[in-house]
Amino acid sequence: MDLSAWLIVALMDQIMGTYNWNDGALLKLNNVIKDAIDPNGILAPGKAGIWPQQYRAEREGTGLVAAAKPK
């Protein structure tokens, strides 16, 4: 993978965060569709900043891994 492709993948969450108009309606819609089509979260998790339900808490920093980190 070349550098430009790596950068795009690394910045997907940040890019999706820029589409936060209307209280994040686009991301909420994408999450509902992702959960309906892929309930196990195995098809491209995190692609375009859309994470499966079981990973969302970790991505937001409120999941079990975040709670176990020393402060």
Side-chain angles (χ1 to χ4, degrees):
M1 186 184 301
D2 67 349
L3 181 60
S4 61
W6 180 86
L7 274 175
I8 291 169
V9 172
L11 297 175
M12 283 185 182
D13 288 336
Q14 187 176 10
I15 293 167
M16 183 50 124
T18 63
Y19 296 99
N20 60 359
W21 52 269
N22 201 13
D23 195 29
L26 179 62
L27 181 57
K28 290 175 186 176
L29 174 65
N30 288 338
N31 285 337
V32 169
I33 294 170
K34 171 74 173 171
D35 293 338
I37 293 173
D38 183 22
N40 294 326
I42 59 172
L43 300 174
K47 179 73 173 169
I50 304 165
W51 289 91
Q53 187 172 15
Q54 63 265 29
Y55 296 125
R56 283 186 208 134
E58 292 302 327
R59 301 300 301 170
E60 295 167 0
T62 58
L64 294 175
V65 174
K69 288 182 181 176
K71 300 207 184 227

